[in-house]
Amino acid sequence: MLNTFKLEASQLDQLLYFADNIAYFGFQTQDEPLFVLYQMEPIMAMICPDALQRFRKAFKLTPAPREDGETEPEYDEDDLETPDNLRRNVPSDLTELRYCYRLCQPSFLLIGLKKFIEDFYGFSAAKLKEYSPNEKQAVWEKPIVTRKQMNKFHPGIVVEFVVKDYKKQLDEFLNAEFLVKKFLGVS
């Protein structure tokens, strides 16, 4: 199921269904959710930076002119990725930005799922780093004795996108100001 997140052609509602099922799967030992988190890491390392880079390209972020009129060949992303600079760089045709935002949805979904599983089972960053599926099974075969009582898994931003898409309201929803705000929240 997790490999489906790598495919650009995957249906977002299907990914949402998979993520929801993974979030509430009845894991019995620590190894099971840790293995899922372990498998998520390379997928996230592949799709998250790619989606962010496409977003930057769609905004056509370029270095700001220097006082002498030249542009810097190297630039600091923090200097370019300001609300004002992004608003100036919003293209008149939002098709590419909307497409990039669509491509970010699996990233948002995986990030939310990872955080939910970590919190639900009480895994620390140290425990995640320590985990290796190649270790002796006895180390991680401890039964899960506690599951934290917490909010339900609800990737609101993805659900909202799917609902707007279903209602054919994405063009109004994904306006220039919204895309700028979301880019600043992503990067």
Side-chain angles (χ1 to χ4, degrees), residues 73-85:
E74 298 284 327
Y75 63 91
D76 182 10
E77 290 171 0
D78 292 337
D79 292 340
L80 289 178
E81 295 172 7
T82 64
D84 291 336
N85 196 33

Side-chain angles (χ1 to χ4, degrees), residues 51-62:
L52 186 58
Q53 189 56 35
R54 282 184 175 195
F55 230 134
R56 285 187 177 117
K57 188 177 178 185
F59 268 113
K60 295 177 176 55
L61 295 175
T62 57

